Amino acid sequence: MTQNDTLRLAQEFLRRLGAEAGETAKLFSENLEWEIAGDIGVLPWIGQKSGRAAITDFINDSRAMIERISFGVHDVLASDDRAVILGSLASRVKQTGKTINTDFAIILTVANGEIIRFQMLEDSFAVSQAARG
C-alpha cells in the first residue's frame, strides 16, 4: 500500500467509528492483532486479543459501558504500512459515573488494504481508576 492508501484507510476507520460495528469491522483482517495496554479485567476491551471480533466487541462493549463526552483527533500520520491517530477523549463510565480524560495514540498497521494490527496507547491508570470507581 502507499502512504496515501494507508492515510485513507485510517480516515475511513475514524469515519466508521460512529457506524454499526459490523461496518467498521470490514476494515479489519480476520486475523487482527488487538492491544490496549492497561488493567486487564477492568474493561473487556483492554488487553491482547486476536480476530476481527475484537473490534466489534470493542465498539459494542464501549457503547454499552461508556458515554462519549468528546473525541477529538489532532493529527493522522501515515507511512506505507502504518497510521498513527493522535487525539484526546473524554468519556463517562456509566457504572461509576466517573469521567476519563486522556490523550491517546491509535496505531494501525495495515497490509493488503486492511488493518492487521490495532494498538491504543492512553492513560491506562486513569481508565482503570474511573472504571473501578
Side-chain angles (χ1 to χ4, degrees):
M1 292 183 61
T2 68
Q3 181 178 0
N4 285 337
D5 293 334
T6 301
L7 180 60
R8 279 193 292 275
L9 186 58
Q11 290 168 333
E12 183 63 15
F13 163 70
L14 290 169
R15 190 185 71 73
R16 289 191 191 188
L17 271 179
E20 187 267 326
E23 283 302 306
T24 306
K26 290 177 184 177
L27 299 173
F28 290 79
S29 167
E30 289 282 348
N31 300 313
L32 171 67
E33 294 177 32
W34 176 271
E35 180 184 357
I36 300 179
D39 191 355
I40 297 170
V42 176
L43 294 169
W45 56 84
I46 295 185
Q48 294 183 340
K49 303 180 184 329
S50 60
R52 188 179 281 163
I55 186 66
T56 56
D57 291 348
F58 168 69
I59 291 170
N60 292 330
D61 291 344
S62 64
R63 287 179 182 166
M65 300 176 76
I66 294 195
E67 174 190 348
R68 181 188 293 181
I69 298 169
S70 66
F71 182 88
V73 173
H74 306 304
D75 211 344
V76 182
L77 311 168
S79 67
D80 289 349
D81 63 354
R82 189 166 292 124
V84 178
I85 302 165
L86 303 172
S88 59
L89 61 83
S91 304
R92 184 172 296 108
V93 179
K94 292 177 182 178
Q95 183 176 349
T96 66
K98 292 198 175 181
T99 301
I100 301 166
N101 291 295
T102 186
D103 293 326
F104 66 84
I106 297 173
I107 304 163
L108 304 174
T109 304
V110 302
N112 302 318
E114 61 186 10
I115 300 166
I116 62 170
R117 185 166 193 273
F118 177 102
Q119 180 181 20
M120 183 169 177
L121 306 171
E122 63 183 349
D123 183 349
S124 60
F125 182 75
V127 171
S128 175
Q129 292 299 305
R132 288 195 183 277

